Amino acid sequence: MQKWFEDAKLGIFIHYGIYAVDGVSESWSFYNGRITHEQYMKQLDGFTASKFDAEKWADLFEKAGAKYAVLTTKHHDGVALWDTEYSDLNVVKKTPAKRDLIKEYADAITKKGIRLGMYYSLIDWSHPDYPSVFESGKVPEDLSKVNKHSSPVDGIQDEEKWQKFLEFNNNQLREILTNYGKVDLLWFDGDWERSAEQWNLPAFKDYLLSFNQDLIINSRLQGHGDYKTPEQGIPITRPEGPWEFCTTINSSWGYQHADDNYKSLNQIIRMFCDCITLGGNMLLDIGPLEDGTVDPRQEAILLGLGDWIRTHEEAVFGTDEGIMTRYYLGGSTISKDKKTLYLFVYDDPKENICLKGLCNKIRKITVLHSGKELTHEIQGGVPWFNIPGTTWIHMTPEDTHEQVTVLKLEFDEELEMYGGSGAVVTHN
């Protein structure tokens, strides 16, 4: 795993495509039969990207505090946002946009020093060769439930067509990995419809790495990815290894006109804090309008998140995952030298913040956004048994930040937390 990814903390996900024209669910709307494939593809005629400005996107992402970005180069609908040689189904040939949006995006993101990520759907529900086999080659008993976009409805598999489709994917991915500068991250989706063997793994991954040995690949590669990607629901238990939580800013991945179910700025900041507390990144998704502009509500949330991050950046960047919630009922991070603990205070306290299990002597406590120094007291404990007391940090609503407050606790030695179950005091 590349160090930059584990240190990044925040990425921006962009679902941009023809589905923004009518505001329908990206790809799934025709796959699930809500509209026909023909109706879905009529959106090609309305996709203009007339106000698409990749440099404005990059500037917004930088202000949001993001260290990487991931754009949907092609979703399950098969519509490519670049001028691919291997299909006419792309926005350059088939829409009024007539622009290689991936090139503009890659140039702008790279210029800003933001790590370049590309989303690519392994499945293609519009490609004639894709619905040629079943997952693991197993023909279902009830063919009436087979979706015509993903598998042969007559139950007859065609391995030759499937191999042609794999070659098609390889060719498109070669374009993405060679035509737009160094790609830092490939974000796959759709691996669930075929087995690892059918995706030609691990040879397929070796092929991708042949273009760039530093390339990071997400988990959606039938067990051959580099990091986990829990989606929409924040993990309660920390995933093993590197991970990233991907989530929408409202309820939709792509732009949907009727979706006003936005998460508040405070909720987004708290979710972000929860992710870095558990040692992960947050990949926050936006869905631009078909003309390429970002909804002002989405922009405001990104800018608000960036303001909070800049104010508290020492608690975000260059830190490791925090202490467990059994010690502190909130989020936290720890400095690399383990001599500073940052506590995220989500709500207004009545008079104290409670920290349990702390073995270290506290040298100083400050409110990060204001610099105000706070006092504390320790109640209880059995020091001759090395059982610490409860640390009560004196804090009132007047000390809080309007979103999430960060307290900085400094120690002379590396942080040490007690994890035992207590003991009977048999002598004093």
Side-chain angles (χ1 to χ4, degrees), residues 264-274 282 304-305 308 346 401 403-404:
S264 69
L265 173 59
N266 183 261
Q267 290 170 337
I268 292 289
I269 294 173
R270 286 184 62 158
M271 292 164 68
F272 174 66
C273 290
D274 284 345
M282 182 163 81
L305 175 59
W308 184 89
Y346 293 145
H401 187 274
Q403 297 297 344
V404 171

Side-chain angles (χ1 to χ4, degrees), residues 12-13 60 232 246-255 259-265 267-268 271 282-288 294-303 305:
I12 303 299
F13 211 177
L60 176 60
Q232 294 291 48
C246 55
T247 190
T248 51
I249 209 163
N250 50 9
S251 294
S252 309
W253 293 103
Y255 182 75
D259 187 355
D260 298 319
N261 188 32
Y262 277 82
K263 300 170 181 70
S264 69
L265 173 59
Q267 290 170 337
I268 292 289
M271 292 164 68
M282 182 163 81
L283 185 63
L284 181 60
D285 178 72
I286 61 170
V294 178
D295 188 296
R297 293 169 292 182
Q298 301 190 14
E299 184 175 349
I301 288 172
L302 292 189
L303 292 174
L305 175 59

Side-chain angles (χ1 to χ4, degrees), residues 329-394:
L329 296 176
S332 59
T333 54
I334 302 170
S335 63
K336 293 290 186 183
D337 67 4
K338 303 189 186 308
K339 292 183 179 180
T340 305
L341 172 64
Y342 300 96
L343 300 180
F344 302 138
V345 183
Y346 293 145
D347 301 304
D348 291 353
K350 291 187 181 297
E351 59 181 30
N352 297 293
I353 295 298
C354 179
L355 177 62
K356 295 173 285 187
L358 178 66
C359 298
N360 301 70
K361 182 179 179 181
I362 300 174
R363 179 158 54 87
K364 187 179 182 181
I365 304 175
T366 49
V367 181
L368 205 53
H369 76 275
S370 67
K372 180 180 177 180
E373 190 166 345
L374 301 182
T375 59
H376 71 284
E377 60 184 290
I378 299 172
Q379 296 286 0
V382 190
W384 54 95
F385 284 171
N386 296 317
I387 299 173
T390 300
T391 301
W392 298 94
I393 302 169
H394 303 139

